[in-house]
Amino acid sequence: MNNKVLEGVRVVDLTTAYSAPFATMQLADFGAEVIKVENAATGDPARTWNPIYKGWSVQFFNMNRNKKSITLNLKTDEGKQILFDLVKTADVVVENFRPGVMKRLGIDYEVLRAIKPDIIMASLSGYGQTGPYAQRGAYSNLAEALSGVMSVTGYPDGKPTGSGVAFGDSIGGLFTALGIMYALFHRQRTGEGQYLEVSMSDAMLHMIMQGIVQYTMTGVEPGRIGCRDLSAYPYDIFEAKDGYCILGNTTVNKWDPFAEAIGHPELIDDPRFDTNEHRVENADELFVYINDWTKQRTRAEIEKIIADEFRQAYSPVLRISEVIENEQFLARDMIVDMEGPDVGKYKMQGIPIKMMATPGEVRTSAPVCGQDNNDILKELGRTEEEIAALKEHGVI
């Protein structure tokens, strides 16, 4: 039985940097054949991004697993013809050039659709293909800033801050992968391909939770709240002897077990804290009680009391070195062992979607630039002599 849900789907991956390669990686993880088309002279610029380890970009390794690589000079007629031949065999084309670049290169959707009528093409850009910002370049933090996400990230007395990871890129990539799946499903039912596009800033705006509804209903501008939850308290970050942890009471309107867990049963009926509304109003005062208690204990000691004994909400704030050894993630195969060319053994994230019949799989590390040139070109009908000539002329 075919246990790869996207096996047989071929993706021509014209993407660079982080966001769109993250999208095509999702498809590759579930069995799609993703052929990464790289610049014949330089490869994907992300191959040079820091940090560099033994000549490899760590970031490039992270987002290009399970893919093949072919190099093409798309400014040459021969390079474009190879791309067209590849598209004839493909189901999906993905790109993240600035709007208009594909058209200037002569490889936009209308051209590709004429070659393969049922082709699905996806474009991911910073601000989308339309609107006054369309021609601007964007990075993750710019999308977080424009969408309002950055305005609500950080502490009330501090500056707005970006997230610690590239959410603008990765969320945009996830929506692109999701859109491609929608398009594949539509094509399966109707035989029709289509063009779809995703904007990183749109994707981040979509993740703003209730912020827009809240403001337009109540007139209250959402602000930065650190790690607190304005709808319930206690729910916050606290200091332990050996790091930080998040604590919260499991049931909003019944905080007796939490108060008992931190050794302060007298606070249960304290008028400052006897209701959730009062606890939210007096969160700064309650924080002191809890933080004084946590500072006297290690995270393991806190976990034993809060989570195991009293069944209240708890998580340690893990460092990456701790994440890769965490028993929960190991039990769910979320840390996988890999080995790559030159770099040797390393670990990376597993696949978060657990499917019973068609599971995803981390099969191969990121490809060497152009490593699949010969195999792919031979499949497209090029002879050894023709391939040698393409190399000589700088086409591949």
Side-chain angles (χ1 to χ4, degrees):
M1 184 180 70
N2 179 0
N3 66 350
K4 296 183 178 63
V5 69
L6 294 180
E7 188 167 353
V9 173
R10 173 171 276 190
V11 179
V12 176
D13 182 355
L14 299 172
T15 70
T16 63
Y18 179 84
S19 57
F22 189 76
T24 53
M25 186 184 76
Q26 310 306 314
L27 307 178
D29 284 352
F30 282 89
E33 180 190 21
V34 176
I35 300 174
K36 186 175 181 65
V37 179
E38 303 192 58
N39 185 294
T42 62
D44 184 341
R47 289 184 179 273
T48 66
W49 287 0
N50 287 324
I52 300 291
Y53 179 70
K54 293 186 177 181
W56 281 87
S57 164
V58 171
Q59 295 201 57
F60 183 87
F61 247 77
N62 180 59
M63 53 209 168
N64 287 289
R65 68 190 184 196
N66 290 339
K67 300 179 185 179
K68 297 177 179 179
S69 172
I70 181 174
T71 54
L72 287 179
N73 183 347
L74 293 176
K75 293 182 178 179
T76 66
D77 291 339
E78 298 97 325
K80 276 191 269 196
Q81 187 57 56
I82 293 170
L83 176 66
F84 294 155
D85 290 346
L86 197 53
V87 169
K88 290 175 186 176
T89 71
D91 302 281
V92 181
V93 175
V94 188
E95 63 90 16
N96 65 334
F97 294 111
R98 285 199 192 191
V101 171
M102 292 285 284
K103 188 173 183 64
R104 289 197 296 274
L105 288 171
I107 56 174
D108 60 319
Y109 174 62
E110 294 304 323
V111 172
L112 300 186
R113 182 171 66 167
I115 295 168
K116 181 80 182 303
D118 66 348
I119 197 70
I120 294 165
M121 181 172 167
S123 296
L124 174 57
S125 61
Y127 301 107
Q129 305 295 308
T130 59
Y133 296 175
Q135 291 302 316
R136 297 183 184 180
Y139 295 98
S140 182
N141 274 355
L142 298 180
E144 290 188 36
L146 187 68
S147 65
V149 169
M150 192 176 289
S151 73
V152 296
T153 305
Y155 284 86
D157 56 351
K159 296 186 296 184
T161 184
S163 55
V165 295
F167 275 131
D169 287 302
S170 54
I171 297 297
L174 287 174
F175 276 116
T176 301
L178 182 61
I180 291 168
M181 296 307 300
Y182 291 155
L184 284 168
F185 184 64
H186 173 76
R187 193 182 70 172
Q188 183 182 36
R189 292 193 301 176
T190 67
E192 297 175 349
Q194 63 179 299
Y195 175 73
L196 67 102
E197 59 118 341
V198 174
S199 150
M200 289 164 55
S201 53
D202 289 352
M204 289 308 298
L205 177 61
H206 192 71
M207 305 302 292
I208 200 68
M209 294 179 61
Q210 77 276 8
I212 291 175
V213 176
Q214 174 184 320
Y215 177 72
T216 54
M217 281 185 174
T218 68
V220 177
E221 183 85 67
R224 293 182 296 284
I225 58 173
C227 292
R228 291 185 178 178
D229 184 335
L230 292 182
S231 65
Y233 206 82
Y235 188 90
D236 209 340
I237 187 169
F238 300 95
E239 185 178 357
K241 279 184 175 181
D242 58 345
Y244 292 90
C245 51
I246 299 283
L247 274 64
N249 60 319
T250 301
T251 306
V252 172
N253 294 318
K254 181 176 175 60
W255 92 293
D256 305 31
F258 191 97
E260 293 172 1
I262 63 170
H264 285 289
E266 76 281 4
L267 299 181
I268 295 172
D269 297 318
D270 189 309
R272 295 172 297 170
F273 313 129
D274 57 349
T275 67
N276 180 59
E277 183 180 4
H278 290 161
R279 292 192 295 277
V280 171
E281 290 174 356
N282 299 292
D284 288 341
E285 294 177 63
L286 183 52
F287 173 87
V288 174
Y289 283 100
I290 302 170
N291 203 55
D292 284 347
W293 181 82
T294 58
K295 285 171 65 175
Q296 300 174 48
R297 293 164 175 81
T298 65
R299 289 175 297 170
E301 291 169 338
I302 295 168
E303 180 173 10
K304 186 174 181 180
I305 297 169
I306 293 291
D308 296 340
E309 184 177 347
F310 285 89
R311 302 292 182 183
Q312 300 300 290
Y314 168 85
S315 177
V317 178
L318 295 181
R319 297 178 289 275
I320 300 301
S321 57
E322 296 172 313
V323 168
I324 63 174
E325 302 295 340
N326 181 264
E327 60 184 2
Q328 174 66 22
F329 293 131
L330 292 174
R332 292 183 55 76
D333 298 321
M334 282 306 299
I335 305 297
V336 296
D337 293 312
M338 300 288 289
E339 187 165 358
D342 304 320
V343 302
K345 295 181 179 179
Y346 62 98
K347 296 179 185 292
M348 73 182 312
Q349 305 94 313
I351 297 173
I353 302 173
K354 310 298 185 185
M355 299 182 71
M356 181 177 69
T358 56
E361 182 184 5
V362 182
R363 302 179 301 280
T364 62
S365 66
V368 173
C369 188
Q371 73 173 29
D372 301 291
N373 279 355
N374 285 3
D375 290 342
I376 293 170
L377 290 170
K378 286 178 181 178
E379 180 203 320
L380 296 177
R382 270 52 171 192
T383 65
E384 292 280 4
E385 292 76 15
E386 288 172 326
I387 293 171
L390 291 170
K391 290 179 182 177
E392 183 179 350
H393 297 147
V395 178
I396 62 173

